[in-house]
Amino acid sequence: MARKEFIRLMESNVLALDKLAERLRKEPLDSGIYPKNQMTVLVRLHMGGRARLKEIARRELVPTPNLCATFRKLERDGMVTRTIDENDRRNTWYECTAAGAKLAEKALDGFRNALTRMFENITPDDEAALTSALKTMNSILVKMELKNA
């Protein structure tokens, strides 16, 4: 019975977080010259670190050719670097440059400000309860990720 309750709660939380994410996606993203989809790729690359093109395409649910066009522009503008994998020349690695990291951090600041506005009216007790629950959830998810790596 506990497992069924767990699954129902996870389902409910996934839906609630999806609604929250949808509200955040509607927030304007002041990047200057890059469309939101390119900024999303840059921010996630910055947060996740160096990654192969195939992994990024899978994570972003974007066809590899579309992602290549995004990275060509970001690379041309000095936001990312591209390296061919020496062990398997079919693989390409991408990484944020210092300029890319700076721009990604600016976008993350906007994201954090939007989150702050979304949660500004919750009580201190609710904020503490959510913080504690999220810490526990993050800890468990990291363990799951390490176990399945």
Side-chain angles (χ1 to χ4, degrees), residues 29-30 39 42-44 46-47 96-113:
L29 183 62
D30 180 28
M39 280 305 298
L42 184 66
V43 166
R44 289 169 64 108
H46 170 62
M47 292 177 69
C96 280
T97 63
K102 185 176 179 181
L103 184 59
E105 280 298 325
K106 179 181 175 190
L108 281 169
D109 285 343
F111 172 77
R112 291 174 186 126
N113 289 336

Side-chain angles (χ1 to χ4, degrees), residues 4-5 7 14 19-20 24 30 44 48 50-51 60 62-63 65 68 83 95-96 105 110 129 131 133 144 148:
K4 285 184 180 181
E5 180 183 18
I7 296 300
V14 165
K19 287 178 184 177
L20 180 66
L24 287 169
D30 180 28
R44 289 169 64 108
R50 183 174 181 241
E60 299 297 324
V62 175
C68 285
T83 309
E95 188 171 17
C96 280
E105 280 298 325
T131 300
M144 286 175 60
N148 295 326

Side-chain angles (χ1 to χ4, degrees), residues 1-9:
M1 191 57 129
R3 180 61 56 109
K4 285 184 180 181
E5 180 183 18
F6 168 75
I7 296 300
R8 280 194 297 272
L9 283 168

